[in-house]
Amino acid sequence: MKTNSTQQEILLMTGTSFSSRQLSIIGDEGKQKNLSEKEQLEEACWNGMLQYMLPEICEQPAGNKKLYLWQIREAASFIEIDLGELPEEKEKYFSIDPYLFMPLKLLS
């Protein structure tokens, strides 16, 4: 019997005013790192800043289930963030990632 678990996808579009604001990322040596816009967003997410950048999206799901950041994938104009209770493969048909669902739509 398959159990249901909560998964959430977030696409952060790059090249926008949201993504271009300066994120101060300090390295281990205490110096500011020179990272690209995508790298800054990615590092901020891995460092737990996602809930501060997007508090309305990162609210606790029903049942107080904790969602963990499992993967960040870089695409041409966005970064995709995969959150979930468990590291499971997502169903491509229900994904918001255009690289995943568009080939299925074309076959329909």
Side-chain angles (χ1 to χ4, degrees):
M1 184 169 133
K2 186 175 180 180
T3 60
N4 290 330
S5 65
T6 303
Q7 289 184 305
Q8 183 177 13
E9 286 179 279
I10 301 172
L11 297 184
L12 292 179
M13 306 308 289
T14 55
T16 64
S17 59
F18 172 80
S19 64
S20 64
R21 70 180 166 178
Q22 291 297 321
L23 298 171
S24 177
I25 305 216
I26 307 297
D28 295 335
E29 311 83 40
K31 299 177 188 171
Q32 187 165 348
K33 294 182 178 180
N34 293 325
L35 301 174
S36 70
E37 180 183 319
K38 287 181 184 179
E39 291 170 333
Q40 285 182 14
L41 281 173
E42 189 173 332
E43 187 149 336
C45 292
W46 282 120
N47 289 334
M49 296 300 296
L50 186 62
Q51 61 191 4
Y52 300 108
M53 293 188 301
L54 301 168
E56 59 280 350
I57 292 179
C58 297
E59 292 179 357
Q60 282 291 96
N64 288 332
K65 297 177 180 180
K66 186 133 173 89
L67 298 181
Y68 299 96
L69 175 61
W70 293 108
Q71 182 180 22
I72 297 178
R73 198 170 60 81
E74 193 174 311
S77 60
F78 62 87
I79 61 170
E80 177 189 12
I81 301 164
D82 288 333
L83 303 169
E85 296 175 67
L86 305 167
E88 295 182 331
E89 188 163 339
K90 57 188 159 211
E91 294 185 40
K92 293 179 181 179
Y93 186 79
F94 296 110
S95 176
I96 61 172
D97 181 352
Y99 297 114
L100 291 179
F101 76 79
M102 284 304 289
L104 295 174
K105 285 289 197 190
L106 295 174
L107 294 175
S108 299

